[in-house]
C-alpha cells in the first residue's frame, strides 16, 4: 500500500497549481515550510489523492471533485476491495455490463435524465442517505420498453456507467399500471423528486435498495435542489398550481438556461434571471412568441397581478405579456415595452395593449394598439400617439394621409394652454377649448412662420379645407384664417379685413381672389394694406375697411 504514496524528493520542484487545487479539494493545504503536505494527511486522504490521479488519466482537472467523490463513495462501500483492487472503485460507481444493473438514462438518451422514446415510467425504488440528493432519499425510476419492444440487450458503452440496457425483463410496477404489456428495462432515471410527484401515475408504494445509493454516471452530476427544483417546491410541488412533472429539468437549446415542464406550466432558469414560472394563457402566448428562443427571452418574474387587478402579467428580459381574460393576451416587446413603461404603462394614458405588434401596410413601420392610442416604431424612432390627437390623426387617414408618421411625442406648446405633435408633413395642435386639429401644406408653413399657437391666430379650429373652386384651401383659427392656392402661398386674414373679405367681396371666389400678402403692420407709413389677386384692402378701423384698386 505504501507504493501508492508519493516519494519525498530531495529538492522539491515548484508546486503544480493543479495539484495544489486538488489537495485543497481534500482539505489539505500546502505550507511553504512543509514541502510534503501529504505527510500530515490521513490515510484515506493520501489514498484518495493518489488513486484519483490514477483514475483521472485521460480526463480533465475540472472533473477532479467528481472523481474524488466517486472514489470516496467507493471507499465507504467497499474499502477492502478498493485497497486491494483499485479498478473495482470504478465498478462500484460506474458499473460494468456484467454487474447486473441497468444503465442510467442520461448515458443512452443524449444526456437527458428521462425515459427515452419507446419506453415508459414503469416503477421505482429508493436509496436512503444519497450524496446525490445531499443526504436525502434518492429515487431510481425504471423506464421499461413499450410493446412491441424496439431495443435489444446490449452494453451501454459509456466510459463510466457501462452497464446493460434493454436486458433485464423486470418491473416493480408502481407506475402506469394501465399498461399491461412491457419489455425489459431500457434505463434508469435518478431523481430527488418523489416519483408520485415526478409522474402522477406512480403510487407511493415504496421499495428500498441501498446498494444503488452510490451508483453514478458522468452525465448525472448531483441534484441537491437546483433553483428550478427549489422554485417548484416553494410553489407547492405537485400539489401546487403547476401540477406534476411532465418533463424533468433539462438544458435549453440556447445553452443559456434550463427548463422543467409540468402539467400546468413551466419553470425557466438562467444564472442572471433566476428561476421563474410561466403558466396559463401567458405561457401559451410565450410559446407563440417562440419562447426563450423568441424576442422575449427568459422570464424575470413569476406571473403577477396589476395594481388595478384588471390583468395578470409576466415580465421577461425583453418585454412583458399581459392577460386580460376575454380581452385577450398580448405581448409588449422591446422597444414598445420601454416606451410604454416610460409614459406610465397600463396606468398611463395609453392603457392596456389591445393588439399584437403589427406591420403597417406600407412596410415602413411596426405598431401596437392600446386602449388610448398607439406606438409606432420606424427604425430607431419610437413614438406614441394618444387621445384626441390619435383620434384626429386616424380621422385624416393616419400614416397614409396628409400628415404621415408622427416623429415626436405630444409636447407642451409653450403657451400654458395646449400641446402639439409633429408629423412628417405637418402638425396636430390640441387645447381643451379647441380640441385637436391638424395642419399641413402651405397653410401649415404660414402658421409656423407666423409663430404657430403663440402667434396672432392662436389654435386651429379646422383642418385645411377645400375652398370649392378647385384652386385652393383654407383653415380656420381662433382669431382668423389662412388661405392658400396652387399658385399663391398661404397668408393669414383676420379681424375687420377678414369680415370685409368674406361678407363684402365674396372671399377667394369673389372679386379679390386669394391673398398675396399679410396685412401691413400697425404704424406702417401710408396706412395698413393687404394685397389680393384682385386688388387691395385698406384697414382704417374695425368698422372701416376700404377697397383700393
Amino acid at each position: 500500500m505504501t507504493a501508492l504514496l508519493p516519494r519525498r524528493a530531495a529538492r522539491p520542484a515548484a508546486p503544480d497549481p493543479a495539484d495544489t487545487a486538488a489537495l485543497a479539494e481534500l482539505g489539505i493545504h500546502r505550507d511553504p515550510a512543509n514541502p510534503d503536505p501529504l505527510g500530515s494527511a490521513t490515510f484515506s486522504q493520501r489514498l484518495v489523492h493518489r488513486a484519483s490521479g490514477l483514475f483521472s488519466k485521460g480526463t480533465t482537472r475540472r472533473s477532479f471533485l467528481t472523481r474524488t467523490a466517486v472514489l470516496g463513495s467507493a471507499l465507504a462501500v467497499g474499502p477492502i476491495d478498493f485497497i486491494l483492487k483499485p479498478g473495482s472503485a470504478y465498478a462500484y460507481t460506474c458499473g460494468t455490463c456484467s454487474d447486473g444493473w441497468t444503465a442510467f438514462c442520461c448515458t443512452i438518451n443524449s444526456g437527458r435524465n428521462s425515459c427515452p422514446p419507446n419506453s415508459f415510467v414503469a416503477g421505482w425504488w429508493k436509496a436512503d442517505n444519497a450524496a446525490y440528493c445531499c443526504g436525502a432519499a434518492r429515487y431510481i425510476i425504471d423506464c421499461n420498453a413499450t410493446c412491441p419492444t424496439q431495443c435489444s440487450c446490449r452494453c451501454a458503452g459509456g466510459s463510466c456507467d457501462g452497464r446493460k440496457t434493454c436486458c433485464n425483463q423486470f418491473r416493480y410496477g408502481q407506475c402506469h399500471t394501465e399498461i399491461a404489456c412491457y419489455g425489459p428495462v431500457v434505463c434508469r432515471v435518478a431523481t430527488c423528486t418523489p416519483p408520485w410527484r415526478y409522474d402522477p401515475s406512480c403510487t407511493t408504494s415504496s421499495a428500498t435498495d441501498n446498494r444503488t445509493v452510490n451508483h453514478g454516471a458522468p452525465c448525472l452530476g448531483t441534484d441537491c435542489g437546483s433553483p428550478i427544483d427549489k422554485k417548484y417546491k416553494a410553489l407547492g410541488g405537485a400539489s401546487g398550481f403547476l401540477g406534476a412533472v411532465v418533463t424533468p429539468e433539462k438544458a435549453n437549446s440556447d445553452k443559456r438556461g434550463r427548463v422543467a415542464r409540468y402539467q400546468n406550466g413551466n419553470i425557466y432558469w438562467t444564472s442572471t434571471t433566476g428561476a421563474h414560472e410561466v403558466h396559463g394563457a401567458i405561457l401559451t402566448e410565450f410559446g407563440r412568441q417562440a419562447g426563450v428562443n423568441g424576442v422575449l427571452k427568459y422570464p424575470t418574474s413569476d406571473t403577477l397581478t396589476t395594481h388595478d387587478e384588471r390583468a395578470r402579467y409576466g415580465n421577461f428580459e425583453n418585454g412583458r405579456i399581459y392577460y386580460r381574460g376575454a380581452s385577450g393576451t398580448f405581448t409588449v416587446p422591446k422597444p414598445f415595452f420601454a416606451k410604454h413603461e416610460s409614459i406610465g404603462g397600463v396606468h398611463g394614458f395609453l392603457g392596456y395593449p389591445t393588439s399584437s405588434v403589427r406591420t403597417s401596410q406600407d412596410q415602413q413601420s411596426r405598431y401596437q394598439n392600446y386602449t388610448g392610442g398607439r406606438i409606432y416604431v420606424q427604425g430607431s424612432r419610437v413614438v406614441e400617439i394618444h387621445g384626441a390627437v390619435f383620434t384626429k390623426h386616424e380621422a385624416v387617414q393616419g400614416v397614409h394621409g396628409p400628415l404621415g408618421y408622427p416623429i415626436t411625442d405630444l409636447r407642451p406648446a409653450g403657451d400654458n394652454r395646449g400641446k402639439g405633435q409633429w408629423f412628417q408633413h405637418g402638425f396636430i395642435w390640441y387645447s381643451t377649448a379647441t380640441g385637436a386639429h391638424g395642419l399641413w401644406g402651405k397653410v401649415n408653413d404660414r402658421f409656423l412662420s407666423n409663430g404657430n399657437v403663440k402667434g396672432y391666430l392662436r389654435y386651429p379650429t379646422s383642418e385645411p379645407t377645400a375652398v370649392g373652386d378647385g384652386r385652393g384651401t383654407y383653415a380656420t383659427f381662433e382669431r382668423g384664417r389662412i388661405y392658400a392656392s396652387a399658385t399663391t402661398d398661404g397668408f393669414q386674414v383676420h379681424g375687420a379685413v377678414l369680415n370685409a373679405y368674406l361678407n363684402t367681396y365674396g372671399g377667394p371666389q369673389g372679386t379679390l381672389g386669394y391673398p398675396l400678402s399679410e396685412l401691413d403692420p400697425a404704424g406702417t407709413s401710408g396706412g395698413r394694406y393687404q394685397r389680393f389677386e384682385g386688388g387691395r384692402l385698406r384697414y382704417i378701423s374695425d368698422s372701416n375697411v376700404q377697397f383700393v384698386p
Side-chain angles (χ1 to χ4, degrees):
M1 288 186 289
T2 56
L4 292 175
L5 299 179
R7 297 178 180 177
R8 187 186 303 274
R11 296 177 62 85
D16 178 1
D19 193 52
T20 299
L23 290 167
E25 298 285 3
L26 291 172
I28 306 170
H29 300 282
R30 292 189 182 275
D31 183 344
N34 179 12
D36 182 14
L38 284 172
S40 59
T42 66
F43 172 76
S44 294
Q45 285 175 325
R46 285 180 286 151
L47 186 60
V48 169
H49 177 255
R50 179 59 175 165
S52 68
L54 297 173
F55 181 49
S56 66
K57 290 179 180 179
T59 62
T60 64
R61 295 300 300 170
R62 185 175 64 178
S63 62
F64 176 82
L65 184 58
T66 300
R67 292 198 307 275
T68 54
V70 164
L71 291 165
S73 298
L75 280 171
V77 176
I80 300 302
D81 282 349
F82 176 67
I83 292 171
L84 298 178
K85 296 183 293 181
S88 66
Y90 191 92
Y92 272 114
T93 55
C94 294
T96 65
C97 206
S98 61
D99 73 357
W101 297 98
T102 303
F104 285 100
C105 290
C106 63
T107 301
I108 66 164
N109 193 25
S110 302
R112 292 185 289 272
N113 186 28
S114 59
C115 291
N118 303 313
S119 69
F120 67 98
V121 172
W124 63 273
W125 76 91
K126 71 180 178 72
D128 295 315
N129 302 314
Y132 177 84
C133 296
C134 300
R138 180 195 201 192
Y139 299 93
I140 308 296
I141 297 174
D142 276 337
C143 299
N144 281 65
T146 55
C147 294
T149 301
Q150 299 184 44
C151 63
S152 59
C153 181
R154 63 180 177 83
C155 289
S159 59
C160 175
D161 190 30
R163 297 183 171 92
K164 298 177 180 179
T165 174
C166 216
C167 295
N168 297 326
Q169 186 69 34
F170 172 80
R171 179 176 179 181
Y172 272 103
Q174 306 102 314
C175 308
H176 285 295
T177 56
E178 79 281 4
I179 301 177
C181 181
Y182 64 92
V185 181
V186 178
C187 58
R188 295 181 285 165
V189 171
T191 178
C192 303
T193 301
W196 56 93
R197 293 182 180 174
Y198 180 91
D199 188 315
S201 76
C202 297
T203 70
T204 59
S205 299
S206 178
T208 300
D209 191 338
N210 287 327
R211 290 177 299 168
T212 62
V213 70
N214 292 308
H215 283 191
C219 53
L220 278 180
T222 61
D223 185 2
C224 290
S226 69
I228 286 181
D229 184 57
K230 291 177 182 178
K231 168 63 74 172
Y232 181 55
K233 291 175 181 177
L235 294 174
S239 300
F241 65 88
L242 288 177
V245 175
V246 173
T247 303
E249 179 181 335
K250 64 178 183 178
N252 275 323
S253 59
D254 66 355
K255 299 182 180 180
R256 275 191 64 207
R258 300 180 67 79
V259 62
R261 305 185 189 280
Y262 308 90
Q263 285 177 315
N264 303 316
N266 298 345
I267 296 177
Y268 300 88
W269 173 88
T270 72
S271 59
T272 55
T273 60
H276 300 287
E277 61 80 17
V278 186
H279 71 278
I282 293 177
L283 177 59
T284 301
E285 173 67 11
F286 186 47
R288 195 178 71 83
Q289 298 291 337
V292 299
N293 296 308
V295 65
L296 291 172
K297 302 305 180 186
Y298 282 84
T300 57
S301 77
D302 293 341
T303 302
L304 305 170
T305 301
T306 55
H307 291 309
D308 60 9
E309 299 185 348
R310 294 173 58 193
R312 301 275 284 166
Y313 68 94
N315 292 320
F316 298 82
E317 289 180 289
N318 289 336
R320 181 175 289 175
I321 295 176
Y322 287 99
Y323 166 66
R324 296 187 63 206
S327 297
T329 306
F330 301 108
T331 293
V332 184
K334 283 184 176 180
F336 295 89
F337 178 64
K339 170 61 77 172
H340 189 230
E341 286 295 288
S342 71
I343 52 179
V346 297
H347 308 297
F349 38 73
L350 281 180
Y352 284 93
T354 59
S355 79
S356 58
V357 174
R358 299 171 177 174
T359 300
S360 59
Q361 291 180 353
D362 61 8
Q363 305 293 309
Q364 292 186 26
S365 73
R366 293 182 299 137
Y367 67 93
Q368 185 164 33
N369 294 324
Y370 298 80
T371 306
R374 182 175 292 171
I375 294 176
Y376 285 100
V377 175
Q378 280 187 296
S380 60
R381 181 187 297 149
V382 185
V383 181
E384 64 83 17
I385 178 172
H386 68 273
V389 173
F390 174 63
T391 301
K392 176 58 67 176
H393 187 236
E394 287 296 287
V396 294
Q397 303 176 62
V399 298
H400 308 297
L403 287 169
Y405 283 93
I407 57 176
T408 69
D409 293 343
L410 187 64
R411 296 174 177 174
D415 62 348
N416 298 318
R417 287 190 61 206
K419 298 179 180 181
Q421 187 160 7
W422 188 11
F423 293 78
Q424 287 176 310
H425 309 302
F427 273 84
I428 292 180
W429 301 94
Y430 170 83
S431 76
T432 55
T434 60
H437 295 283
L439 298 176
W440 54 85
K442 293 180 178 180
V443 172
N444 180 64
D445 294 341
R446 176 56 60 182
F447 184 63
L448 293 180
S449 67
N450 283 359
N452 59 65
V453 298
K454 292 179 282 188
Y456 180 87
L457 293 179
R458 304 296 172 82
Y459 282 82
T461 55
S462 80
E463 283 67 57
T465 305
V467 169
D469 59 359
R471 290 187 60 203
T473 57
Y474 73 98
T476 61
F477 298 82
E478 290 182 288
R479 299 177 68 181
R481 294 186 180 189
I482 293 178
Y483 288 90
S485 77
T487 57
T488 60
D489 289 334
F491 295 102
Q492 70 181 29
V493 187
H494 57 81
V497 174
L498 176 61
N499 290 334
Y501 178 56
L502 293 175
N503 299 325
T504 304
Y505 302 103
Q509 299 184 73
T511 57
L512 287 175
Y514 285 85
L516 298 176
S517 73
E518 303 284 296
L519 180 64
D520 291 335
T524 301
S525 175
R528 302 184 67 187
Y529 293 88
Q530 184 162 11
R531 293 185 300 114
F532 296 83
E533 290 177 303
R536 295 181 296 169
L537 290 180
R538 181 185 182 192
Y539 173 78
I540 298 172
S541 68
D542 288 347
S543 60
N544 188 359
V545 176
Q546 299 176 354
F547 173 73
V548 180

